[in-house]
């Protein structure tokens, strides 16, 4: 499937998901701004049309913010010459930022109210690259925090990654009233630590589920799994920028000392045998110990390393 087709499919899915919210906004429009509609709860919604279908951009506390969301979408969907609510010369850097991202991703940022933060991060990464003579910015020194081999349920339909308690409480912000299932979640941002995703920011909802007594990353996680092609047994690694306070102050980026990164490491998969009778053998290391899985079972531990080395041809 081409990138364009995938993008259209993602936008169609977003349009279908937005149907209930859009239905609530069918009152006669009374906003003075293009693409802005009133909501029954006193908030304001933003929407744009793509191929004669409504794309819901989210709800906002006031008309101006909703109008700004529409303008952002219009720039991405229709280019710098789009009719917007706040006319004026479009910022070239922002237009470039939008053009480099799929429409569905921009819509997702607007719905989650993370667009401004991600724009600032994107422009900062671009400026760092320009300051290095147009070359990619030097990698940020990082301190490993922890890693986790994802389970089948982590990459399944539940849209959540269970974070081990010891790491969650040590490395992530504390959650108030964690015993309360209704406690407000925290939005965590992680820069993409993989070489091919430099400059991209992943944002996940971080919560504590009292019913299962577990810390989880939820909203936004399924997109990460899908785009990275994660499968059970792959490893997700978390790290933090290793920048001193003095350096951060001098650079005017005191918050950099708290920048966190996420990257993934794929488990080696080897197919043995030909035709439809081939065996899928997963070869990876875990905690310094070699693990060879055949149909999900660790056969290295069961039958010894010499035989398994011959089995996988190493």
């Amino acid at each position: 499937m081409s990138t364009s087709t995938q993008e259209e499919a993602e936008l169609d899915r977003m349009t279908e998901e937005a149907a209930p919210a859009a239905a609530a906004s069918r009152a006669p429009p009374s906003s003075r701004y293009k693409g802005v509609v009133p909501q029954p709860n006193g908030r304001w919604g933003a929407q744009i049309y793509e191929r004669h279908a409504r794309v819901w951009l989210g709800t906002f506390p006031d008309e101006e913010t909703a109008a700004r969301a529409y303008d952002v979408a219009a720039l991405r969907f229709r280019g710098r010459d789009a009719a917007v609510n706040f006319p004026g010369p479009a910022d070239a850097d922002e237009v470039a930022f939008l053009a480099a991202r799929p429409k569905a991703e921009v819509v997702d940022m607007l719905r989650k109210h993370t667009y401004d933060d991600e724009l600032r991060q994107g422009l900062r990464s671009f400026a760092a690259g320009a300051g290095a003579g147009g070359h990619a910015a030097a990698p940020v020194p990082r301190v490993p925090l922890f890693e986790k081999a994802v389970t089948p349920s982590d990459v399944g339909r539940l849209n959540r990654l269970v974070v081990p308690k010891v790491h969650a409480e040590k490395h992530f912000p504390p959650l108030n009233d964690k015993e309360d299932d209704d406690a407000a979640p925290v939005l965590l941002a992680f820069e993409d630590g993989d070489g091919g995703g430099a400059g991209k920011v992943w944002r996940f909802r971080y919560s504590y589920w009292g019913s299962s007594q577990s810390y989880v990353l939820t909203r936004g996680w399924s997109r990460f799994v899908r785009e990275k092609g994660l499968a059970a047994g792959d490893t997700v690694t978390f790290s933090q920028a290793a920048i001193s306070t003095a350096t951060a102050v001098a650079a005017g980026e005191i918050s950099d000392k708290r920048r966190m990164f996420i990257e993934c490491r794929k488990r080696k998969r080897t197919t043995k045998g030909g035709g439809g009778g081939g065996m899928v053998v997963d070869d990876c290391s875990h905690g310094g110990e070699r693990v060879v899985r055949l149909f999900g079972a660790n056969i290295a531990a069961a039958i010894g390393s010499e035989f398994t080395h011959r089995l996988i041809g190493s």
Side-chain angles (χ1 to χ4, degrees), residues 14 23 32 36 63 100 154 157 201 218 267 298 310 314:
M14 287 185 161
R32 63 184 183 277
V36 177
E63 285 184 273
D154 286 332
R157 296 179 178 274
V201 176
T218 56
R267 176 186 57 188
N298 180 13
R310 293 200 302 269
S314 59

Side-chain angles (χ1 to χ4, degrees), residues 161-182:
L161 171 73
V162 174
V163 181
K165 178 180 179 180
V166 62
H167 298 308
E169 295 185 345
K170 181 178 180 180
H171 301 298
F172 290 170
L175 294 174
N176 295 328
D177 301 322
K178 70 177 184 179
E179 299 300 333
D180 181 1
D181 284 339
D182 297 325

Side-chain angles (χ1 to χ4, degrees), residues 229-263:
L230 286 181
D234 293 341
T235 300
V236 178
T237 303
F238 297 88
S239 58
Q240 183 171 310
I243 183 170
S244 68
T245 302
T247 303
V249 172
E253 295 287 353
I254 186 65
S255 62
D256 273 7
K257 72 181 189 302
R258 301 185 63 85
R259 288 167 63 187
M260 291 191 292
F261 298 81
I262 185 172
E263 55 192 309

Side-chain angles (χ1 to χ4, degrees), residues 30-74:
S30 59
S31 173
R32 63 184 183 277
Y33 294 112
K34 183 178 179 63
V36 177
V37 292
Q39 298 297 286
N41 60 3
R43 293 167 64 85
W44 296 86
Q47 60 188 23
I48 193 169
Y49 280 84
E50 172 79 346
R51 304 192 312 277
H52 306 291
R54 186 203 311 258
V55 178
W56 189 252
L57 306 176
T59 57
F60 305 89
D62 54 70
E63 285 184 273
E64 290 74 15
T65 306
R68 164 64 178 157
Y70 172 84
D71 287 0
V72 168

Side-chain angles (χ1 to χ4, degrees), residues 13-313:
R13 180 185 65 79
M14 287 185 161
T15 301
E16 292 174 359
E17 290 178 351
S25 63
R26 289 173 182 168
S30 59
S31 173
R32 63 184 183 277
Y33 294 112
K34 183 178 179 63
V36 177
V37 292
Q39 298 297 286
N41 60 3
R43 293 167 64 85
W44 296 86
Q47 60 188 23
I48 193 169
Y49 280 84
E50 172 79 346
R51 304 192 312 277
H52 306 291
R54 186 203 311 258
V55 178
W56 189 252
L57 306 176
T59 57
F60 305 89
D62 54 70
E63 285 184 273
E64 290 74 15
T65 306
R68 164 64 178 157
Y70 172 84
D71 287 0
V72 168
L75 285 174
R76 176 59 187 89
F77 281 59
R78 295 162 190 162
R80 64 170 64 238
D81 295 327
V84 294
N85 292 299
F86 303 106
D91 182 83
D93 289 340
E94 183 174 6
V95 171
F97 171 84
L98 289 169
R101 284 154 178 81
K103 295 176 182 178
E105 183 177 338
V106 174
V107 171
D108 193 55
M109 293 181 201
L110 293 172
R111 287 186 181 178
K112 293 179 180 177
H113 298 182
T114 63
Y115 175 75
D116 289 337
D117 287 340
E118 299 198 34
L119 173 62
R120 281 192 293 269
Q121 175 61 35
L123 296 182
R124 181 172 63 183
S125 298
F126 175 79
H135 300 291
V140 176
R142 286 179 265 164
V143 175
L145 297 179
F146 67 96
E147 63 180 33
K148 181 190 179 184
V150 295
T151 65
S153 61
D154 286 332
V155 295
R157 296 179 178 274
L158 298 179
N159 185 24
R160 65 99 176 95
L161 171 73
V162 174
V163 181
K165 178 180 179 180
V166 62
H167 298 308
E169 295 185 345
K170 181 178 180 180
H171 301 298
F172 290 170
L175 294 174
N176 295 328
D177 301 322
K178 70 177 184 179
E179 299 300 333
D180 181 1
D181 284 339
D182 297 325
V186 173
L187 189 66
L188 296 184
F190 299 88
E191 296 180 46
D192 197 311
D194 294 324
K200 185 178 181 67
V201 176
W202 298 96
R203 298 184 184 276
F204 310 117
R205 178 175 290 175
Y206 173 52
S207 310
Y208 180 82
W209 286 356
S211 57
S212 58
Q213 297 186 351
S214 57
Y215 293 90
V216 293
L217 298 180
T218 56
R219 187 173 182 178
W221 174 250
S222 60
R223 178 183 292 273
F224 182 82
V225 169
R226 183 170 63 252
E227 293 193 15
K228 292 294 185 180
L230 286 181
D234 293 341
T235 300
V236 178
T237 303
F238 297 88
S239 58
Q240 183 171 310
I243 183 170
S244 68
T245 302
T247 303
V249 172
E253 295 287 353
I254 186 65
S255 62
D256 273 7
K257 72 181 189 302
R258 301 185 63 85
R259 288 167 63 187
M260 291 191 292
F261 298 81
I262 185 172
E263 55 192 309
C264 57
R265 184 173 68 252
K266 298 297 185 65
R267 176 186 57 188
K268 181 181 178 182
R269 298 173 177 84
T270 306
T271 302
K272 295 298 176 184
M279 298 184 300
V280 178
V281 179
D282 300 326
D283 181 16
C284 63
S285 61
H286 183 69
E289 175 185 359
R290 192 173 198 187
V291 176
V292 180
R293 297 188 183 277
L294 175 61
F295 306 124
N298 180 13
I299 62 174
I303 61 179
S305 60
E306 182 178 353
F307 179 79
T308 54
H309 285 195
R310 293 200 302 269
L311 174 65
I312 64 175

